[in-house]
Amino acid sequence: MCLLESLRQRIRGLGSESAALKVRRFFKTGPGDYGEGDLFLGVSVPQLRALLNSAEELSSAQVVELLGSQWHEERLFGLLLLVRRFRASPEGGELRDRLAALYLQNLASVNNWDLVDSSAPQILGVWLLNRDRSLLDGLAASPIMWERRVAVVATQAFIGQSDFEWTFRLVRLLLGDPHDLIHKACGWMLREAYKKEAAPVLGFLEEHGPRMPRIMLRYAIERVPATERKFIGRLAPRVS
């Protein structure tokens, strides 16, 4: 039995139907929901991470097979493995370029919010720290909601270096987005930026807050003390 099939058997052996039922509800897999049709085994993230050491010898082609799986946890395992390999590779090296390219080529598999959030900043965001970031504009304009979320969540890597330009840029582009998962992602990134440096974010909120969807604004000001919300002008009454 090859390593890939052995790992798949181990992942599936960890599954729990009761846990799968809970996560199917949590990730909104019903008709018309954002995760419609996604299939879950009921394996936890810590259980998947515990298997990563056993996957060191998987080829890139085998990782792509995992990313193409119908099972959510197998796709997540493939992404966690990519993140691990990316972190272990030299900064600015060709291996990071290849891993980032592989990630971008398989974005269709990054199709739920946990898959986005556990890979976009760690791979795409870090890779773009010292590169042209214009591809984020294209992702933010994508008709695919998950690609738009990849774009804005990737900026968490920039926020870690107190670089907020692209977070602000993409939030402006996405103010009118129809999906609440984009509203939440934008608000989350603004909150992360606020934790690094409050003044630029408060200025951004004062300018753009009146046009923000309610949930985006609520996420953004979660860490703003009530005594400071006066700097956000008339926004505070809009959120509870």
Side-chain angles (χ1 to χ4, degrees), residues 77-147:
F77 186 74
L79 289 168
L80 293 175
L81 187 56
L82 277 185
V83 169
R84 180 186 177 105
R85 290 181 177 181
F86 187 88
R87 285 175 171 163
S89 61
E91 293 184 19
E94 291 184 7
L95 179 55
R96 282 200 168 184
D97 292 346
R98 292 197 298 270
L99 291 170
L102 189 150
Y103 180 73
L104 288 167
Q105 290 160 7
N106 289 275
L107 277 186
S109 298
V110 188
N111 58 353
N112 216 315
W113 60 262
D114 65 319
L115 305 179
V116 173
D117 299 355
S118 61
S119 62
Q122 298 88 339
I123 298 175
L124 185 58
V126 172
W127 184 67
L128 290 173
L129 282 173
N130 298 305
R131 288 179 172 81
D132 175 38
R133 302 172 183 178
S134 58
L135 69 85
L136 295 179
D137 283 331
L139 291 174
S142 170
I144 301 170
M145 184 266 290
W146 301 119
E147 293 189 358

Side-chain angles (χ1 to χ4, degrees), residues 39-80:
L39 300 177
F40 288 82
L41 295 162
V43 183
S44 70
V45 175
Q47 287 175 310
L48 293 174
R49 290 191 184 279
L51 294 176
L52 288 174
N53 285 339
S54 303
E56 292 289 349
E57 300 303 317
L58 285 181
S59 68
S60 294
Q62 289 173 317
V63 174
V64 170
E65 282 193 57
L66 285 170
L67 295 178
S69 174
Q70 64 177 334
W71 296 107
H72 185 102
E73 290 92 342
E74 289 189 357
R75 299 197 306 279
L76 177 56
F77 186 74
L79 289 168
L80 293 175

Side-chain angles (χ1 to χ4, degrees), residues 11 19 22 24 28 36 44 60 70 72 77-78 93 120 129 136 138 144 182 184 189 196 226 229 234:
I11 292 171
K22 291 178 182 177
R24 283 198 296 269
K28 308 293 186 185
E36 180 177 1
S44 70
S60 294
Q70 64 177 334
H72 185 102
F77 186 74
L129 282 173
L136 295 179
I144 301 170
I182 300 300
K184 291 175 180 178
M189 289 303 104
K196 289 290 289 185
R229 292 186 186 181
R234 59 193 178 90

Side-chain angles (χ1 to χ4, degrees), residues 176-196:
D177 197 278
H179 207 290
D180 70 339
L181 284 178
I182 300 300
H183 304 166
K184 291 175 180 178
C186 290
W188 171 30
M189 289 303 104
L190 291 172
R191 185 176 72 232
E192 291 299 303
Y194 175 84
K195 286 157 58 177
K196 289 290 289 185

